[in-house]
Amino acid sequence: MFTLTDELQDIARTARDFADEHLAPCAVEWDETNHFPVDTLRKAAQLGMGGITVREDAGGSGLSRLAGTLVFEGLSTGCPAVAAYLSIHNMVATMIDTFGDTRQRDRFLPHLCSLQFLASYCLTEPGCGSDAAALRTTAVRDGDAYVLNGVKQFISGAGTSDVYLVMARTGGPGADGISALLVEDGTPGLSFGPEERKMGWHAQPTRQVVLRDVRVPAANLLGGEGRGFRIAMTGLNSGRLNIGACSLGGGAAALERTVAYLREREAFGKPLIDSQALQFRLADLATELEAARALLWRAAAALDADDANAVTLCAMAKRVATDAGFAAADGALQLHGGYGYLTEYGIEKIVRDLRVHQILEGTNEIMRLIVARSLLAAAPRPR
């Protein structure tokens, strides 16, 4: 785990090259114009990035979670907002691949892996964020269909996606009453709220998903009734790794730009890069990123191996990586001085994009709660 194989290094290099050519040159413009670059996403799919961990028989790349973290870190050096949407799309595709039946896999995955279909993950609701098991959206069986009613909040890709993986209540209260259903765009009763005005992530749309008597074929139930919460949480383990990787990529890009800036900028008769105080600051930021990367890879390997500690490690890695990535971007802005605050340098965009990573896929406070519960469960009780 301390040395990447040649194959993994090639994967990382491919993602970084794609980011340099197709994402970085347009990132600031996309941010300013709120442009969702679907055509560019489809170019990424031509390199296998539409279904990174989806099995090859369904059109995916069949790669490991570790490989996925390398892809998302590389892509995020170009634009964290676009890479983060692709992470969510991949999370849905992998959940269908893992829990779907043959018909569902054949129906959706080839289109998702090619990004001819875009996917959205619909768990959060206006009245329940961290307490996801308390969701209120309902799915009532009616013959060969389920009728869905409810509202989902903060949904990336909403209004643009073709497939919505919706968690809804088919049974009683609590996690055991939740099921997962695939809702296709254009289904009568499916609508969307206005596009949210956000601090960052301007290069991907975020809207409410509104379900009013939406009839979904029973054949679109994923994994069976009552398994939705488990499916949702399983998907989030991979999602947490990927969003952590997106934070590392954004932080690393900000740091690279800062080193170049400090080499060029002079103050008091010499380049800023010659200042030992600034060198120490760069060293600290780089060290925190590298430490987070090591933990992220450790967690990805654990998830690939079905390690009993994988859930805890994913929570640890998500918290550490998103904190380190944001700190690196924020530190880079400070080291740029007033120029870091200007849009044209692209640093303030990275700061805005990375801030939400500490909230989504489970807030970092919830990550701490997961780790604490693991510790308490393992600790011997006093006699």
Side-chain angles (χ1 to χ4, degrees):
M1 280 306 302
F2 294 98
T3 303
L4 296 178
T5 64
D6 289 344
E7 180 186 8
L8 289 172
Q9 291 181 51
D10 287 342
I11 289 169
R13 191 177 304 111
T14 298
R16 180 60 191 260
D17 288 347
F18 184 88
D20 289 345
E21 180 178 357
H22 297 287
L23 302 184
C26 305
V28 171
E29 179 185 351
W30 291 340
D31 179 76
E32 292 177 340
T33 60
N34 291 342
H35 176 66
F36 186 34
V38 174
D39 288 345
T40 303
L41 289 171
R42 288 177 177 149
K43 290 178 182 177
Q46 294 173 8
L47 298 175
M49 298 178 190
I52 295 168
T53 56
V54 172
R55 285 171 283 179
E56 293 179 88
D57 68 322
S61 297
L63 298 178
S64 65
R65 268 88 165 197
L66 175 58
T69 65
L70 301 175
V71 170
F72 289 112
E73 180 173 354
L75 292 177
S76 288
T77 62
C79 180
V82 172
Y85 170 76
L86 194 59
S87 164
I88 295 166
H89 171 91
N90 269 269
M91 181 172 67
V92 173
T94 299
M95 292 164 74
I96 296 172
D97 186 41
T98 302
F99 297 101
D101 58 29
T102 300
R103 189 201 71 85
Q104 291 166 344
R105 295 179 73 243
D106 291 345
R107 167 76 181 90
F108 295 106
L109 289 178
H111 301 294
L112 291 172
C113 292
S114 66
L115 275 161
Q116 292 308 305
F117 283 4
L118 304 180
S120 291
Y121 177 83
C122 305
L123 176 63
T124 300
E125 297 183 2
C128 59
S130 295
D131 186 11
L135 64 83
R136 295 171 185 164
T137 296
T138 59
V140 178
R141 185 68 183 258
D142 182 23
D144 61 355
Y146 286 91
V147 180
L148 277 66
N149 282 281
V151 178
K152 296 296 181 178
Q153 183 76 35
F154 304 132
I155 306 305
S156 292
T160 304
S161 288
D162 303 276
V163 182
Y164 297 87
L165 181 53
V166 177
M167 307 304 160
R169 191 164 300 285
T170 54
D176 291 341
I178 296 171
S179 298
L181 295 110
L182 297 164
V183 180
E184 298 182 59
D185 187 42
T187 304
L190 176 66
S191 63
F192 310 97
E195 190 160 335
E196 302 287 1
R197 299 175 63 187
K198 300 167 293 189
M199 175 180 173
W201 272 25
H202 294 166
Q204 57 160 290
T206 303
R207 302 167 71 177
Q208 284 187 337
V209 172
V210 182
L211 305 125
R212 294 286 181 262
D213 294 327
V214 175
R215 292 185 66 86
V216 176
N220 283 17
L221 176 70
L222 189 68
E225 277 200 12
R227 298 190 67 199
F229 192 77
R230 178 188 165 211
I231 290 171
M233 294 302 106
T234 299
L236 282 176
N237 288 326
S238 293
R240 287 164 182 164
L241 294 176
N242 294 342
I243 212 67
C246 288
S247 293
L248 295 181
L255 197 60
E256 289 174 10
R257 297 182 193 184
T258 302
V259 172
Y261 172 79
L262 295 178
R263 287 187 188 280
E264 297 171 359
R265 178 77 170 170
E266 290 191 0
F268 306 106
K270 62 180 181 180
L272 288 175
I273 198 69
D274 291 343
S275 167
Q276 192 175 70
L278 300 186
Q279 290 177 8
F280 283 0
R281 181 64 177 140
L282 290 172
D284 286 345
L285 295 175
T287 300
E288 293 304 313
L289 287 176
E290 189 62 33
R293 186 176 293 111
L295 180 55
L296 192 76
W297 290 2
R298 165 79 174 92
L303 196 58
D304 282 327
D306 290 324
D307 189 299
N309 295 319
V311 173
T312 301
L313 287 167
C314 287
M316 289 177 173
K318 190 269 182 181
R319 201 277 295 171
V320 170
T322 56
D323 283 351
F326 178 75
D330 190 50
L333 191 154
Q334 186 71 19
L335 289 169
H336 272 76
Y339 292 102
Y341 207 64
L342 299 182
T343 301
E344 64 188 275
Y345 281 77
I347 299 297
E348 59 84 32
K349 174 200 178 299
I350 298 175
V351 172
R352 290 186 286 105
D353 282 347
L354 295 191
R355 181 60 184 87
V356 74
H357 294 192
Q358 296 167 301
I359 298 171
L360 58 85
E361 311 292 36
T363 67
N364 284 4
E365 289 75 18
I366 292 296
M367 298 306 99
R368 292 178 173 89
L369 185 60
I370 292 170
V371 174
R373 285 175 174 170
S374 175
L375 289 172
L376 294 173
R381 294 183 178 274
R383 296 182 180 178

